[in-house]
Amino acid sequence: MTRIDINRIKTINRDIAGVRSVSFDYLGEKVYSANQIQRITGLFMSDPVDGTSSLVSWKDLNLVINKPDGADVFVYLRSAATESGLERSRWDGPFLNLSNDISDNKGRYTQFMIVLISGFEQTPTPQGVSPVVERLEISYLSSDNAVRFFTRTFNLGFDPKQILLTYNGTVSDDAILRFAVSGFDTIDPNDYQIIEPNKIEELSDISILSDKLKVMIEMIGDSDVVLTVDEFALMFSGDQQLRLNDVSSSSSSSSSSSSSSSSSSSSSS
């Protein structure tokens, strides 16, 4: 059970997944006075949360809070590729809404901080008021829940050096569409190299090991989000030229090959 008391007022009493310990401190200088204190600020900082190696993108930060008049809650978030890198990362925020988009945060590890500010209510009788964070949820898109499609294995007849992929389709803001290629006839996602559409990508690993090519389309999103790939095309550079939809090929010192296909599906999580 995670619990923080501010002036004997319980502010957090819910279990939070992935948090093993908490720290609490005042922001600024502590006040020692016989006068009545109007506002107290407390700090809750989580342990690093591991998105695991299957993380594709952080998605949403959702809050359930009880904030009386005169009290405030501010939430901050930071992310990094490594756990140790969090200490050097910049805090993003404050997040003030009940639902917040955190897709701009990059990195496998994330950490959140909650600033709780109590107030002092004057009516009907003077009494302290403190906010309560009932729930904090962080969601992300995971490759474990992806829907994948694979093309047949193309025998290029030459070692590919670079690749350029373009496609037509529909992708909502709540989903991710990824393309990847492999030099082997496999359906293991770990054997594929992710490539970015509309950008020339180097295929150094594939060109060394194989003269074949297989394409994987990976769709990641909620079950009610529809992703559509109408068609995609590939162009290669290498030591020969080969049209994948034709039988014949010709030699060239600088060449390309192309292919197009179509696919449409709804992804699920």
Side-chain angles (χ1 to χ4, degrees):
M1 183 67 68
T2 299
R3 172 172 172 160
I4 295 178
D5 290 347
I6 301 179
N7 285 357
R8 298 181 181 178
I9 300 175
K10 184 169 59 177
T11 59
I12 297 178
N13 65 346
R14 298 292 298 271
D15 288 329
I16 301 178
V19 178
R20 299 185 298 275
S21 63
V22 299
S23 62
F24 167 69
D25 201 354
Y26 291 92
L27 292 181
E29 297 182 359
K30 294 184 180 180
V31 177
Y32 300 93
S33 174
N35 295 328
Q36 192 175 54
I37 298 175
Q38 299 298 320
R39 291 169 70 87
I40 296 294
T41 302
L43 176 68
F44 173 93
M45 186 180 297
S46 78
D47 281 352
V49 179
D50 186 359
T52 75
S53 59
S54 64
L55 175 105
V56 176
S57 172
W58 296 103
K59 188 179 178 185
D60 297 314
L61 168 66
N62 297 315
L63 297 167
V64 178
I65 61 176
N66 181 1
K67 188 176 67 172
D69 291 340
D72 285 305
V73 176
F74 303 100
V75 179
Y76 297 83
L77 194 76
R78 62 182 180 183
S79 301
T82 62
E83 184 173 344
S84 60
L86 286 172
E87 296 182 0
R88 300 184 297 273
S89 297
R90 174 183 173 274
W91 289 103
D92 290 331
F95 297 99
L96 305 176
N97 301 321
L98 297 181
S99 181
N100 305 271
D101 181 2
I102 58 172
S103 58
D104 288 339
N105 284 267
K106 308 298 182 183
R108 169 174 169 171
Y109 293 87
T110 193
Q111 186 177 31
F112 62 88
M113 176 175 63
I114 304 175
V115 178
L116 303 160
I117 303 178
S118 66
F120 197 81
E121 193 175 66
Q122 299 293 336
T123 57
T125 59
Q127 61 178 344
V129 293
S130 180
V132 178
V133 179
E134 298 181 357
R135 181 180 302 171
L136 184 148
E137 296 178 343
I138 297 177
S139 62
Y140 63 91
L141 297 175
S142 170
S143 60
D144 289 340
N145 300 321
V147 174
R148 299 182 178 93
F149 297 88
F150 300 88
T151 67
R152 68 181 177 89
T153 304
F154 299 107
N155 293 308
L156 301 181
F158 66 96
D159 297 336
K161 304 297 183 184
Q162 293 90 22
I163 185 173
L164 172 65
L165 182 144
T166 61
Y167 79 96
N168 292 321
T170 303
V171 183
S172 71
D173 294 336
D174 295 327
I176 291 179
L177 176 66
R178 299 200 301 184
F179 292 89
V181 293
S182 175
F184 303 95
D185 186 8
T186 176
I187 58 173
D188 184 351
N190 296 321
D191 294 332
Y192 283 79
Q193 173 185 336
I194 302 294
I195 59 174
E196 182 179 342
N198 304 316
K199 178 182 177 181
I200 297 177
E201 297 272 7
E202 297 291 332
L203 298 177
S204 55
D205 293 341
I206 294 178
S207 64
I208 294 174
L209 299 175
S210 175
D211 62 353
K212 299 179 175 59
L213 194 85
K214 190 180 183 78
V215 180
M216 176 182 73
I217 303 175
E218 193 172 55
M219 299 178 172
I220 306 169
D222 296 333
S223 57
D224 57 346
V225 177
V226 177
L227 291 81
T228 302
V229 177
D230 299 314
E231 62 179 0
F232 69 91
L234 301 171
M235 297 186 67
F236 308 93
S237 66
D239 296 330
Q240 287 184 328
Q241 177 174 304
L242 178 66
R243 297 185 181 276
L244 300 183
N245 293 331
D246 296 341
V247 177
S248 61
S249 63
S250 60
S251 298
S252 174
S253 58
S254 177
S255 60
S256 64
S257 61
S258 63
S259 173
S260 63
S261 178
S262 63
S263 173
S264 175
S265 174
S266 298
S267 68
S268 62
S269 60

